[in-house]
Amino acid sequence: MTVVRRGNENFIKEAEKILKDGGLVAFPTETVYGLGADATNEEACKKIYMAKGRPSDNPLIVHIGRKEDIENLVEDVNDDAKKLTEEFWPGPLTLILKKRPIIPDRVSGGLDTVGVRMPNNEVALKLLRETGIPIAAPSANISGKPSPTNAQHVLQDLTGKIDMVIDGGKVNIGIESTIVDLTEDIPKILRPGHITKEMIEKVIGKEVLYDDSVKSKPKAPGMKYKHYSPKGILILLDGTYEQIVRYIKMKSQMGIRDRIAIITTDKYKNKLMDTFLGISIFSYGNGDAEEASKKLYEILRECDDEDIKIIYSVVFDKKDRGYSLMNRLEKAAGFRQIDLDREGI
Ligand code: TXA
Ligand code: MG
């Protein structure tokens, strides 16, 4: 039985009891919804893996309600960590540091490090602060599917498998936190997010690298798995509006009769609707990567609801927040991207 409570109801006592009994509570954060368990309870954390169908070598992020709580979880809060938490917490930034023994191996996927973050969401902070429990929480979706950006998405994936969902409405950011590994001399971004490389470099005053090992062995175990994927095939189209129209027309003339969707921006939405009757047209908004990030997972889930078989999406410039958006889009597409210039379209 999954109980749903609105974030403005008195949900804390109920959630606290469930967490203390080793149960699972899904809750909103500013990035995506998390599926939480008491991070110090190994058995409870095991249930997270079962509910999500998540590989056991993929570690969980531990959420805290106060900056100083990090001291209990990691061996050494180094200078970079201090500067980053000062500037960006509460917020969409996860720090990887050497863990203390209080973190069970189940949470860290067998690694000697742990990811910690303080979310910037009123409901999440209330839950964390009033219960005082460090909460291990991955995104609250079935493994491999797009992360949930509202409570309905969580219910779609996990009803009956978890004990409670706290409904805090739509999330603010829409893609998962930036993960920075601070265990080596040079900080490395293991997963890009809303807090960009430039923002981090400015605060710690030195160069930060992206984890470029993604294609071989990424340092964040989760980055090697299929991710964020809709049921249909997502194909990224890199080209002008005219090229995109020509390409899709060509494909439909080739007799493809599967249900098709196009994800575009407001500027072209109506034109595409007039051009392609019977094709579902979605919009990322005004073309800004930040707004698109907020909508991406919801659109991919809507495509699933409509049983779309082929989804064409426009691409974004890989700079600033476009970088993290494209990271999710490329993974959701399994790196299927067509350069329409090169194809001579
Ligand atoms: O925004 C977020 O971070 C959301 C919300 C709920 O806080 N959480 C989230 O968790 O995205 P999850 O489990 O879906 O993704 C966590 C990622 C995985 O790729 C995992 O491999 C990586 O973080 N990770 C966790 N602990 C790690 C560690 N100690 N070392 C390297 N990577 C780690
Ligand atoms: Mg996830």
Side-chain angles (χ1 to χ4, degrees):
M1 210 353 225
T2 307
V3 180
V4 189
R5 290 282 177 268
R6 297 216 182 284
N8 55 4
E9 289 173 22
N10 186 14
F11 61 91
I12 299 285
K13 288 251 142 39
E14 214 170 334
E16 182 169 13
K17 183 166 184 323
I18 292 170
L19 292 170
K20 287 201 167 139
D21 288 346
L24 303 183
V25 175
F27 61 97
T29 81
E30 80 280 41
T31 56
V32 299
Y33 273 68
L35 177 59
D38 177 348
T40 62
N41 180 337
E42 181 133 35
E43 279 308 307
C45 293
K46 200 167 152 187
K47 289 187 195 160
I48 292 182
Y49 288 86
M50 285 179 359
K52 282 184 58 101
R54 180 178 176 105
S56 61
D57 71 343
N58 193 1
L60 307 175
I61 292 172
V62 180
H63 298 68
I64 54 176
R66 290 183 186 80
K67 287 184 190 177
E68 59 270 27
D69 294 346
I70 190 177
E71 315 268 353
N72 308 325
L73 306 178
V74 309
E75 288 292 347
D76 175 36
V77 184
N78 58 35
D79 284 347
D80 291 342
K82 282 188 190 123
K83 288 181 193 156
L84 291 172
T85 56
E86 202 44 53
E87 180 72 21
F88 296 120
W89 279 7
L93 179 71
T94 297
L95 303 181
I96 306 289
L97 290 159
K98 286 266 176 296
K99 79 178 181 79
R100 281 190 193 268
I102 188 176
I103 302 292
D105 281 349
R106 173 70 64 176
V107 169
S108 62
L111 301 172
D112 61 356
T113 57
V114 64
V116 185
R117 92 173 185 100
M118 179 180 177
N120 187 16
N121 172 285
E122 215 182 313
V123 172
L125 286 174
K126 194 171 155 79
L127 176 69
L128 290 159
R129 285 175 182 161
E130 290 185 24
T131 63
I133 301 172
I135 300 182
S139 49
N141 51 283
I142 296 285
S143 229
K145 292 230 305 180
S147 296
T149 55
N150 63 41
Q152 208 48 44
H153 295 162
V154 180
L155 289 168
Q156 270 171 8
D157 279 17
L158 298 173
T159 294
K161 297 183 173 171
I162 64 177
D163 303 291
M164 181 177 183
V165 181
I166 304 170
D167 184 352
K170 267 194 193 188
V171 301
N172 256 331
I173 290 178
I175 61 170
E176 306 80 355
S177 62
T178 307
I179 302 181
V180 193
D181 180 3
L182 295 177
T183 60
E184 288 167 31
D185 290 344
I186 303 176
K188 259 201 205 139
I189 296 182
L190 307 189
R191 179 176 71 186
H194 189 80
I195 308 268
T196 62
K197 179 171 178 283
E198 292 71 26
M199 289 163 76
I200 294 169
E201 285 174 337
K202 203 168 161 208
V203 168
I204 60 178
K206 61 178 161 194
E207 203 194 348
V208 173
L209 299 176
Y210 285 117
D211 186 24
D212 53 8
S213 56
V214 173
K215 292 212 173 67
S216 49
K217 189 176 184 296
K219 264 202 98 174
M223 299 303 274
K224 68 175 180 271
Y225 295 110
K226 184 171 138 91
H227 249 85
Y228 324 117
S229 303
K231 285 189 229 139
I233 296 174
L234 174 63
I235 300 169
L236 308 183
L237 297 181
D238 183 3
T240 62
Y241 169 76
E242 287 74 19
Q243 285 175 315
I244 289 175
V245 168
R246 275 202 295 277
Y247 181 81
I248 296 174
K249 274 192 177 156
M250 188 182 86
K251 286 286 167 190
S252 28
Q253 274 161 13
M254 285 163 68
I256 297 173
R257 288 285 166 264
D258 284 331
R259 293 217 54 177
I260 296 176
I262 306 171
I263 322 179
T264 181
T265 55
D266 287 348
K267 188 168 173 198
Y268 300 112
K269 186 177 174 189
N270 290 338
K271 273 165 79 177
L272 284 169
M273 282 166 91
D274 293 343
T275 310
F276 294 109
L277 301 173
I279 290 187
S280 300
I281 314 289
F282 295 93
S283 174
Y284 287 121
N286 62 11
D288 178 47
E290 198 172 325
E291 189 178 334
S293 300
K294 211 165 166 167
K295 296 187 171 156
L296 173 65
Y297 292 148
E298 185 172 3
I299 295 174
L300 294 180
R301 280 178 178 263
E302 278 177 41
C303 288
D304 279 358
D305 294 344
E306 291 189 18
D307 205 23
I308 305 284
K309 297 287 191 265
I310 301 177
I311 309 164
Y312 295 110
S313 168
V314 297
V315 296
F316 290 77
D317 272 350
K318 284 188 188 174
K319 57 171 204 277
D320 301 323
R321 292 193 172 134
Y323 189 88
S324 43
L325 172 62
M326 282 305 292
N327 170 276
R328 305 309 193 275
L329 263 174
E330 284 175 347
K331 288 182 143 249
F335 296 90
R336 276 178 296 260
Q337 175 162 330
I338 299 174
D339 179 337
L340 297 175
D341 272 339
R342 202 169 339 131
E343 296 291 311
I345 304 287

